[in-house]
Amino acid sequence: MTPDQLQQAVRDGQIDTVVVCMTDLQGRLIGKRLTARFFVDTGFAPQMFCDYLLATDMEMTLVDGFEASSWSRGYGDLALVPDMNTLRAVPWLPGTAIVLADVTDQHGKPLAHSPRQILKHQLDRLAALGVEADMAAEYEFYLFNMSFEEARAVGYRALKPASWYPQDGHVFQSSKDEPVIRRIRNLMDQADIPIEGSKAEWSAGQQEINLQYCEALEMADRLALYKNGCKEIAQQNNQAVSFMAKLDDSLAGSSFHIHLSLRDRVNGRAVFLDEQRPLAMSRAFEHFLAGALEHAPAATYFWAPYINSYRRFRAGTFAPTRIAWSVDNRTTSFRVLGSGRSLRFECRVPGADVNPYLAFAALLAAGLAGLEAQLSLPPAFNGDCYQSGVPSIPVSLPAALAQLESSTVFGTAFGVDVIRHYLHCGRWEWAQSEAGVTDWERIRYFERV
């Protein structure tokens, strides 16, 4: 939807509400609902918010210790500056349009630690090399035949998944899920978030809906809107969805596999393709993939940001545990696939709990480091990577944070202040988990210690 189309829709009474929003550190949409008339009459003006919204945890706790936002700094304002290129109608919400915003301080200076700005900075670095990134991600989630309120009422135990048996690819099961999954597919299409298709994933109730490949920032925007939209559409259907990386030990984890390729900004040439070289992989492809491998440990925090994220990394589950690349081998962390202009690689490390802007930015930063240093790509892995001696992905949140802290590549790519911001966020998350008493502990120790 263009600004002119919005103004006409407001005059016609078709749109009465505009949601102006950003993503927080966790990737959730945070914003205001404005009357559409006010939004138009004020010239799509920036909206002011308290800066603590980029310095909280999942519980919206006012976390001490952030340099950019704190009691000592007075918790001032930040500005949400609407990016009108992201404006679209929301077909599942009556009379509503939504626009994503860039985040600045009160003087219009972009906030370097805002997730969308971090991704834009990596894309600017690519642009300086005359290159653009096309990306996509495969979001997996679980669908439940109960509402979010009902799930909470039972303490998220005895949940009712949409199926009761493993269902990977089962057409009959996906037919049973169509009342809500079809709505998601079609309504996303109407919201200019083009969908390829959907399928039942492995575990009972697990789903996958794939978005069409596009330019990286546009894809991250679509993914942020899509994830929020899935929850809203499910709620309207008296159902719930969960994007937790690992819901239960007995269930498959939910992933966020990232697909990436590069193209020339001028002529659209596929930068990763060279038909004269082995596997048709250009030298630029090899350098970029080598960087992704080399710096994967430091990037892992942005691909696995919570305690639960690391439950997903289990051998024999199609979630990776070791850092290697392959040609179409799902036991490795990175998989080369496609041919011709579709030649690309897939990063299989991230889970469905990521912030898409941060996950994309981390992969680009790692790849750019390999491209700039012209790193050599090790041989492709063949066989069962789970059973190999290949170096492993960081096995815990503290291990991933230690890798990030020691990385000069990420300090340079994101900025030292930005890295400190996210290290503090991760350490707070770890400290909160250490302070809590879990159901596992009660079951294991209540009677027997």
Side-chain angles (χ1 to χ4, degrees):
M1 176 179 280
T2 66
D4 287 345
Q5 289 172 331
L6 174 63
Q7 293 181 56
Q8 186 62 52
V10 174
R11 285 194 294 268
D12 294 344
Q14 297 173 352
I15 297 292
D16 56 57
T17 301
V18 176
V19 182
V20 180
C21 56
M22 66 174 188
T23 65
D24 63 6
L25 302 185
Q26 292 75 28
R28 298 172 294 185
L29 295 187
I30 300 290
K32 294 181 180 179
R33 279 179 159 81
L34 304 176
T35 62
R37 172 199 49 77
F38 176 81
F39 184 64
V40 168
D41 289 349
T42 54
F44 320 126
Q47 300 300 311
M48 309 309 290
F49 267 90
C50 179
D51 64 17
Y52 90 96
L53 289 166
L54 286 177
T56 62
D57 65 4
M58 197 65 80
E59 299 287 348
M60 304 299 289
T61 305
L62 286 168
V63 178
D64 286 333
F66 281 109
E67 296 174 19
S69 177
S70 64
W71 290 115
S72 63
R73 294 176 63 93
Y75 284 117
D77 277 345
L78 50 77
L80 271 60
V81 182
D83 180 346
M84 298 304 287
N85 291 317
T86 71
L87 179 68
R88 66 236 302 145
V90 184
W92 56 90
L93 295 176
T96 301
I98 193 167
V99 62
L100 293 168
D102 288 311
V103 187
T104 73
D105 65 17
Q106 297 179 52
H107 309 292
K109 180 182 177 182
L111 290 187
H113 60 283
S114 65
R116 196 168 191 260
Q117 187 61 38
I118 291 173
L119 175 56
K120 290 178 74 172
H121 179 53
Q122 302 314 305
L123 295 173
D124 287 344
R125 294 178 62 207
L126 272 179
L129 301 176
V131 175
E132 291 185 333
D134 289 324
M135 303 179 79
E138 305 170 33
Y139 252 136
E140 294 173 345
F141 61 90
Y142 279 84
L143 175 66
F144 296 95
N145 289 334
M146 58 197 310
S147 69
F148 288 106
E149 290 77 9
E150 290 168 335
R152 179 173 177 78
V154 296
Y156 304 103
R157 304 180 188 89
L159 298 173
K160 301 174 183 176
S163 176
W164 59 272
Y165 54 81
Q167 60 182 30
D168 194 4
H170 287 206
V171 172
F172 175 53
Q173 178 57 40
S174 62
S175 295
K176 291 191 288 184
D177 298 333
E178 271 291 84
V180 67
I181 299 300
R182 180 174 178 270
R183 284 197 76 215
I184 292 173
R185 287 197 314 268
N186 292 341
L187 290 170
M188 290 297 161
D189 253 1
Q190 293 173 34
D192 197 24
I193 302 174
I195 299 294
E196 287 186 0
S198 62
K199 66 181 285 289
E201 261 298 334
W202 190 84
S203 288
Q206 194 176 31
Q207 309 286 332
E208 180 180 304
I209 301 176
N210 292 328
L211 281 61
Q212 288 183 19
Y213 211 56
C214 70
E215 186 275 329
L217 181 61
E218 173 65 19
M219 176 53 66
D221 289 341
R222 291 178 184 180
L223 288 163
L225 294 167
Y226 163 82
K227 190 174 189 179
N228 187 74
C230 284
K231 295 178 181 179
E232 290 176 338
I233 294 167
Q235 176 72 9
Q236 292 169 0
N237 210 54
N238 203 38
Q239 292 182 268
V241 297
S242 177
F243 290 86
M244 275 184 66
K246 190 73 170 178
L247 267 169
D248 188 88
D249 288 345
S250 64
L251 300 175
S254 289
S255 70
F256 181 85
H257 297 156
I258 302 173
H259 293 248
L260 184 149
S261 63
L262 302 181
R263 57 182 161 79
D264 189 283
R265 286 173 57 86
V266 176
N267 58 28
R269 177 181 59 86
V271 173
F272 279 176
L273 179 65
D274 185 342
E275 300 282 8
Q276 307 306 311
R277 302 194 73 250
L279 302 175
M281 293 172 62
S282 69
R283 294 189 187 279
F285 190 174
E286 292 186 357
H287 297 326
F288 199 95
L289 181 53
L293 288 163
E294 178 75 16
H295 301 292
T300 296
Y301 168 70
F302 297 106
W303 299 336
Y306 309 115
I307 301 301
N308 179 259
S309 308
Y310 297 83
R311 315 287 190 219
R312 177 175 152 264
F313 301 138
R314 297 289 183 269
T317 64
F318 288 107
T321 60
R322 298 182 181 275
I323 302 170
W325 76 278
S326 67
V327 178
D328 198 18
N329 179 341
R330 286 182 169 85
T331 70
T332 60
S333 297
F334 296 88
R335 183 170 69 119
V336 172
L337 64 164
S339 61
R341 290 187 57 81
S342 72
L343 183 67
R344 63 196 186 279
F345 75 87
E346 173 192 51
C347 175
R348 298 178 59 80
V349 182
D353 52 357
V354 298
N355 182 321
Y357 297 100
L358 299 176
F360 279 13
L363 183 56
L364 291 172
L368 271 165
L371 195 60
E372 291 168 349
Q374 297 191 347
L375 293 181
S376 297
L377 183 66
F381 184 89
N382 294 303
D384 182 356
C385 199
Y386 293 124
Q387 304 302 321
S388 72
V390 172
S392 67
I393 295 166
V395 296
S396 66
L397 181 55
L401 291 169
Q403 290 285 345
L404 178 60
E405 184 175 29
S406 65
S407 172
T408 57
V409 161
F410 273 89
T412 301
F414 284 18
V416 173
D417 290 345
V418 172
I419 293 300
R420 281 204 298 267
H421 191 88
Y422 283 90
L423 287 172
H424 187 67
C425 181
R427 287 168 178 153
W428 171 266
E429 187 73 17
W430 170 249
Q432 295 306 107
S433 74
E434 287 287 276
V437 178
T438 67
D439 287 348
W440 182 89
E441 292 170 280
R442 293 187 185 94
I443 292 168
R444 193 173 182 90
Y445 303 124
F446 182 88
E447 177 178 341
R448 288 172 281 188
V449 293

